[in-house]
Amino acid sequence: MPEPAQPLFVEGAGRAEGDGESAVLMPCLVAVDVVPDGRRMRVKVRGELDYGGQPLRRDLDEALHRSDSGIDLDLTALEFCDCSGLNVLLGLRQRALGQGKTVAIRGSSPAVERLLDVTGTRDLFAQPGPDDQATAPTDPRDARPQRETEQDLRTEVIQLRRAIRTRPTIDLARGMLVVSFGLSPEAAWNVLVNTSQNTNTKVHRLARDLIGTIHGGRLPEAVQKQLAAEVAKARRSTSSP
């Protein structure tokens, strides 16, 4: 008999990196519902997933441990997700592979769709095949699929490291937009993403160049115009009734 849905609320606060009393508390605005689904666990994530969502890892790891073959994520109710949130999901997938399991995104909100497209990580969360296992082949004739699997793993590690490395830069640039123009964190993220897409500039490079303006650097004229247009659009949207 299937187990009932188990809401695992990640409320309160997550503690940012730091020592003792000097650590800064970050609000955690996400909650998850976990439902067994055959050999897998179906996990619905709701709210806003950013750096404050680090405590979510404990609940995701518990769901992964309870599953036989992995986790199916429903992210349709995730209103906001930034690079910090993506790192939580990438880390979960890495740990799942280490256990011979998979993590698949079965549905996602527009905010998640945009993030997956910009970071090129959508394929890492593709739905598993019929055996939904990340096991190594034993038949010598399966050598080619095994090589492809190893290449996928190497690609994933590279993307994970890149995401971790660029996250502080992107978060700092987003913070600059929040402070400078009075935008919400979500609006500032949208400004970065839309400017990136419309100028064909990687988000992490745009963030790096934006931070460089503090020390006298200048953005290319086309990027300046697009950034200004996106900021103006975001502010109009915020002031609209």
Side-chain angles (χ1 to χ4, degrees):
M1 182 174 179
E3 298 180 31
Q6 299 185 37
L8 303 176
F9 292 99
V10 189
E11 296 179 339
R15 185 172 294 273
E17 295 180 1
D19 296 324
E21 298 300 326
S22 62
V24 178
L25 292 177
M26 304 290 289
C28 184
L29 304 175
V30 292
V32 295
D33 298 312
V34 180
V35 181
D37 186 11
R39 301 179 65 240
R40 301 178 67 78
M41 300 294 286
R42 185 159 23 101
V43 178
K44 183 170 185 176
V45 185
R46 298 177 279 114
E48 300 180 4
L49 182 55
D50 54 16
Y51 189 81
Q54 292 297 321
L56 180 65
R57 171 175 171 170
R58 179 183 63 252
D59 297 318
L60 293 176
D61 283 349
E62 180 181 346
L64 180 64
H65 176 73
R66 291 169 55 195
S67 73
D68 290 328
S69 65
I71 289 177
D72 292 327
L73 293 171
D74 178 357
L75 306 181
T76 54
L78 198 55
E79 300 172 2
F80 176 75
C81 184
D82 64 4
C83 291
S84 302
L86 178 60
N87 282 337
V88 172
L89 302 181
L90 287 171
L92 173 67
R93 184 177 186 275
Q94 187 81 353
R95 293 188 294 278
L97 288 174
Q99 300 176 31
K101 302 177 182 180
T102 59
V103 174
I105 294 179
R106 299 288 183 171
S108 53
S109 65
V112 176
E113 289 285 310
R114 186 183 303 115
L115 181 62
L116 295 175
D117 287 339
V118 170
T119 57
T121 53
R122 180 184 299 277
D123 290 345
L124 297 179
F125 297 97
Q127 298 183 16
D131 59 355
D132 49 50
Q133 291 266 7
T135 54
T138 56
D139 192 322
R141 291 173 297 181
D142 292 332
R144 182 177 177 184
Q146 173 66 9
R147 287 196 297 270
E148 292 175 351
T149 299
E150 292 174 351
Q151 180 60 41
D152 289 343
L153 288 174
R154 285 194 292 269
T155 300
E156 178 194 358
V157 170
I158 292 172
Q159 291 173 327
L160 177 59
R161 287 174 177 170
R162 180 183 301 146
I164 293 173
R165 185 174 63 251
T166 59
R167 187 199 75 203
T169 301
I170 294 174
D171 288 348
L172 180 55
R174 188 180 65 169
M176 287 176 58
L177 294 174
V178 169
V179 173
S180 299
F181 301 104
L183 303 177
S184 68
E186 181 176 4
W189 170 251
N190 289 335
V191 166
L192 284 175
V193 170
N194 292 338
T195 301
S196 167
Q197 292 177 334
N198 293 331
T199 61
N200 195 28
T201 307
K202 296 290 187 181
V203 173
H204 69 90
R205 291 180 181 174
L206 173 62
R208 180 196 61 195
D209 293 344
L210 183 59
I211 294 172
T213 61
I214 297 176
H215 305 290
R218 291 183 60 83
L219 295 173
E221 184 176 354
V223 175
Q224 288 185 48
K225 290 181 178 180
Q226 185 63 46
L227 184 66
E230 291 298 333
V231 168
K233 183 168 67 175
R235 297 185 73 176
R236 285 196 301 270
S237 177
T238 302
S239 61
S240 298

